[in-house]
Amino acid sequence: TSTTSTTTGFLSQSIMVVDDVDFAGLFASLQLSAAELPRIAYVAEGETQMELRLAVCHDVSCATRAVVTVDSLSNGFILAASLQLNSQDLAVIAYSADTGRGMAVRLAVCHDVLCTAPTITVVSANAVATEEVVLRLDALDRPRVTFFDGEMSEWYLVVCGDTVCSSRSEQLLSGSHVGVSTDLQLDAQQRPVLAAQVSGSSPGLRVVWCNSTDCSGHTDVLVDSVAQPGRSGVDVALQLATGDLPVLAYNHETELAASSFRLLRCTDSACSSVTVVTLDTGAVGTFGSLQLAANDAPVASYYDAATPALKLVRCATAACPVPLVQTVDTAGDAGQYTSLALLSQGAAVIAYQDSANGQLKVAVVPPLPMI
């Protein structure tokens, strides 16, 4: 375990190694408790087994914490993790697990802070070779889970009827390489709103609105596109601004050698009009995570593969005319699997992996004055 602190201009940041046992930090997913303390679900790969772990931090920098194993597979694979905290401030984690007899999306519902005896439910057996699983909870703590079936190129949404998902419905949102990267939020009426990367012959980025809480029907629109061999919407992150207007951050490649990190804002409820801002250019924008400040100003963490580095970009306003980019961590190969949350005073808390050292890290970055 180590801590570093650096100061550059207005920037003061702390970086903590949270877990370096096995190859830790895969698929990191961070939420803040009611006391604004980080909880992080992630995957660690050992020589003979993979574990779904939960880090419960006792301070905002995670200098002290408890790390527990929620689920483990010998000679199997855990390929995704998505964490939410329910109304009791307890962890609920969706993840994909391959036991060697088939892959499934599982849900672990914790009944205490350290998740000593979680209820684990298989919520779908359609998740073949998926690294894309996203979980949200409705106002009654009922899970909504979206994932991509990599074998059939199909995109699903599971709507649970209770808190442990013992009853549920499953909606096929689309096929034909839709949902390769995906994210999910719930609007003010608890209806799912989703975003997904479209691959195949017409690559781009798509937004989907469910017309009911169970998504029995939906409408969708292509909000960004790119000519082949480019890709748009890679590692898309979705938030809903005031009025439930979608805001998306994602990697956009015009060709294999050129990419950028983009911010897209829908300016009406149907996304018939959008504005697009380039936040950063180069081999950037994968493993992105997005949050909105109180004034709907975007804040996003992401990976710079060229440096390599963990980066953070802040906007002073919702329109983001002048993005402020900060390099947070350049040690090892830092910045994959980023997951971002904002403290009430504006500081960014980021969980991520240093893949060179197999470490789960947490960075705390106070806000910069907007000049």
Side-chain angles (χ1 to χ4, degrees):
T1 300
S2 64
T3 307
T4 63
S5 178
T6 60
T7 301
T8 306
F10 295 108
L11 174 61
S12 178
Q13 67 188 42
S14 66
I15 297 172
M16 176 63 60
V17 176
V18 174
D19 190 351
D20 58 3
V21 177
D22 301 319
F23 190 73
L26 296 163
F27 311 107
S29 180
L30 178 146
Q31 294 287 312
L32 296 178
S33 71
E36 297 198 317
L37 300 179
R39 311 269 180 87
I40 310 160
Y42 59 99
V43 175
E45 182 177 5
E47 291 185 4
T48 60
Q49 68 178 18
M50 297 189 78
E51 294 183 346
L52 175 66
R53 294 177 183 171
L54 177 68
V56 178
C57 302
H58 301 148
D59 56 87
V60 71
S61 67
C62 214
T64 60
R65 67 267 175 193
V67 174
V68 297
T69 299
V70 177
D71 198 359
S72 63
L73 292 178
S74 297
N75 302 314
F77 301 94
I78 300 175
L79 294 177
S82 182
L83 169 70
Q84 293 286 284
L85 300 181
N86 64 20
S87 58
Q88 297 178 297
D89 227 14
L90 301 178
V92 183
I93 309 168
Y95 56 106
S96 62
D98 186 350
T99 62
R101 298 184 299 273
M103 180 170 282
V105 174
R106 294 184 181 183
L107 184 77
V109 179
C110 301
H111 304 291
D112 57 75
V113 172
L114 294 180
C115 206
T116 53
T119 298
I120 296 179
T121 306
V122 173
V123 300
S124 179
N126 284 317
V128 178
T130 183
E131 296 185 6
E132 292 289 335
V133 176
V134 180
L135 168 70
R136 298 291 179 256
L137 302 178
D138 75 358
L140 298 177
D141 288 337
R142 296 175 300 192
R144 277 74 176 115
V145 184
T146 187
F147 62 92
F148 178 66
D149 176 352
E151 182 176 80
M152 301 301 295
S153 297
E154 293 176 338
W155 184 23
Y156 288 92
L157 174 70
V158 176
V159 178
C160 300
D162 55 73
T163 58
V164 296
C165 211
S166 58
S167 65
R168 56 197 172 269
S169 63
E170 188 170 73
Q171 302 292 344
L172 175 61
L173 297 173
S174 186
S176 302
H177 302 283
V178 176
V180 179
S181 295
T182 184
D183 203 0
L184 164 69
Q185 297 295 337
L186 302 181
D187 70 11
Q189 298 181 55
Q190 302 294 290
R191 297 172 302 190
V193 181
L194 305 100
Q197 175 198 352
V198 182
S199 63
S201 59
S202 301
L205 175 61
R206 190 173 296 276
V207 176
V208 172
W209 291 266
C210 294
N211 61 10
S212 61
T213 57
D214 64 357
C215 206
S216 55
H218 63 270
T219 59
D220 62 89
V221 62
L222 190 69
V223 294
D224 199 359
S225 61
V226 64
Q228 288 185 312
R231 303 184 301 167
S232 188
V234 178
D235 291 345
V236 61
L238 167 70
Q239 291 292 334
L240 299 179
T242 302
D244 286 331
L245 300 181
V247 181
L248 304 100
Y250 55 97
N251 171 265
H252 179 89
E253 295 180 356
T254 55
E255 54 187 62
L256 296 180
S259 69
S260 61
F261 190 39
R262 284 188 168 185
L263 177 76
L264 183 146
R265 296 171 54 246
C266 297
T267 56
D268 60 69
S269 59
C271 264
S272 59
S273 175
V274 303
T275 61
V276 178
V277 175
T278 297
L279 300 172
D280 199 359
T281 58
V284 296
T286 54
F287 300 104
S289 183
L290 173 69
Q291 294 292 332
L292 301 180
N295 63 345
D296 283 342
V299 182
S301 57
Y302 59 101
Y303 177 55
D304 178 342
T307 304
L310 168 68
K311 286 187 172 181
L312 181 73
V313 59
R314 295 181 183 270
C315 303
T317 64
C320 201
V322 184
L324 298 178
V325 175
Q326 302 166 249
T327 298
V328 178
D329 190 359
T330 58
D333 189 356
Q336 298 186 36
Y337 302 107
T338 81
S339 184
L340 167 70
L342 299 178
L343 299 175
S344 56
Q345 48 89 332
V349 183
I350 312 165
Y352 58 100
Q353 187 194 46
D354 174 352
S355 64
N357 296 299
Q359 296 172 333
L360 172 69
K361 289 183 171 182
V362 168
V364 179
V365 187
L368 279 173
M370 296 298 178
I371 301 174

